[in-house]
Amino acid sequence: MEKTFLMVKPDGVQRNLIGEIVSRFEKKGFQLVGAKLMSISNELAEEHYGEHKERPFFGELVDFITSGPVFAMVWQGDNVIASARQMMGKTNPKDAAPGTIRGDFGLIVSKNVIHGSDSPASAEREIGLFFKENELVDYSKLV
Ligand code: CMP
């Protein structure tokens, strides 16, 4: 079953959007297999956003993601990586369509409410960075 890593960013947590965001993915039909409210260390932030290291906004990005609690999640389901990206909307909330999470709740690119893995390789990498294997549940034995 395909899995992806999603994270409500500090702005989304502070604006009480965790429930709204979880609800959207539940109603779509995806299954939550792991979740935790946590603070991100500088080290984890730099590793998670490593591909942006050379960007001028890297420092701002690390400062922001470590500025308050985040809600880290793993979701599973058919085509969940691409589908979650569609449900999140474009990275810059200015370009995100109404009906998407960033279109409905975001205003600026640096505080865009949610992060989601953009490919199977990043999903695997990001899930491994944030979760141990025994923190993910298994629904396959449900009777
Ligand atoms: P995210 O999907 O978490 O991945 C990288 C993040 O960098 C992105 O969401 C944005 O929040 C952030 N970002 C992209 N462009 C800029 C920018 N110009 N200034 C600040 N942050 C940015």
Side-chain angles (χ1 to χ4, degrees), residues 31-125:
Q31 280 181 318
L32 185 60
V33 292
K36 54 183 159 187
L37 186 68
M38 60 181 283
S39 300
I40 299 188
S41 65
N42 257 60
E43 196 181 22
L44 177 58
E46 285 177 13
E47 179 134 26
H48 172 65
Y49 280 130
E51 66 180 298
H52 301 295
K53 213 171 179 117
E54 305 307 322
R55 305 269 188 108
F57 58 84
F58 183 69
E60 187 191 335
L61 187 56
V62 169
D63 285 350
F64 173 62
I65 209 72
T66 57
S67 67
V70 300
F71 192 64
M73 301 168 280
V74 179
W75 288 85
Q76 72 179 14
D78 191 26
N79 198 39
V80 67
I81 299 172
S83 191
R85 298 274 298 178
Q86 273 188 330
M87 290 168 67
M88 286 161 46
K90 294 253 172 73
T91 301
N92 191 333
K94 284 185 186 135
D95 305 321
T100 65
I101 292 167
R102 288 162 172 163
D104 288 349
F105 303 119
L107 278 178
I108 53 172
V109 70
S110 55
K111 294 185 177 173
N112 60 356
V113 187
I114 185 167
H115 168 85
S117 307
D118 62 4
S119 67
S122 30
E124 195 180 336
R125 189 181 79 85

Side-chain angles (χ1 to χ4, degrees), residues 9 22 34 70 77 92 95 127 137:
K9 296 186 181 184
V22 167
V70 300
N92 191 333
D95 305 321
I127 291 169
V137 299

